[in-house]
Amino acid sequence: APPTTPLLAFSIVKPAKVVSLHAELKQQKVFLNWGVLENETADQFAIEKSLDGKNFQVTALAFGSDMPGKYEYKFFEKAGKQKVSYRIRLVNKDRKEEYSEVITVDPSNRS
């Protein structure tokens, strides 16, 4: 009899999840970094920003690294003068989407 190949149980693969999101303002730039668990199932990340905290638009795309487990991603852009909110829209390889928390950066309120 031919050898049998074990079936891989894809149903137990957990979707990737954004578990942290941080922003830092330095040298007139906004630096974002976010941590992802189950990173190997992440396909891409849309970095979305909003000037009013309600209506978000995609400002950049980042693609998943395929590294297993936890992984950190980074993004930066020039800071404007106004307050800006950011969030990450994670698209998993199964096309399911999830949003991170929203964080706000206010260049006029430097401490």
Side-chain angles (χ1 to χ4, degrees):
T4 58
T5 306
L7 294 174
L8 296 176
F10 286 107
S11 61
I12 62 168
V13 173
K14 292 181 183 171
K17 183 171 184 59
V18 176
V19 292
S20 64
L21 175 60
H22 301 285
E24 188 178 6
L25 200 56
K26 62 183 179 188
Q27 300 160 342
Q28 285 81 47
K29 293 186 178 89
V30 176
F31 290 84
L32 295 180
N33 68 307
W34 63 98
V36 177
L37 287 180
E38 317 299 343
N39 178 66
E40 63 275 13
T41 63
D43 186 39
Q44 65 183 19
F45 304 91
I47 297 99
E48 299 183 347
K49 75 178 185 180
S50 170
L51 299 179
D52 63 8
K54 296 183 187 87
N55 300 297
F56 285 83
Q57 293 188 319
V58 175
T59 191
L61 283 177
F63 293 92
S65 69
D66 286 333
M67 295 293 290
K70 186 168 186 191
Y71 196 78
E72 295 274 330
Y73 291 88
K74 296 182 184 325
F75 165 79
F76 74 90
E77 69 175 1
K78 189 176 191 298
K81 303 259 186 266
Q82 72 275 35
K83 184 163 73 169
V84 181
S85 296
Y86 291 93
R87 71 183 181 190
I88 306 296
R89 178 168 42 95
L90 184 163
V91 181
N92 277 290
K93 289 177 179 169
D94 64 5
R95 311 318 302 157
K96 289 190 176 132
E97 296 183 1
E98 167 185 315
Y99 289 89
S100 73
E101 63 181 322
V102 173
I103 58 168
T104 302
V105 175
D106 190 348
S108 67
N109 189 17
R110 307 237 14 200
S111 52

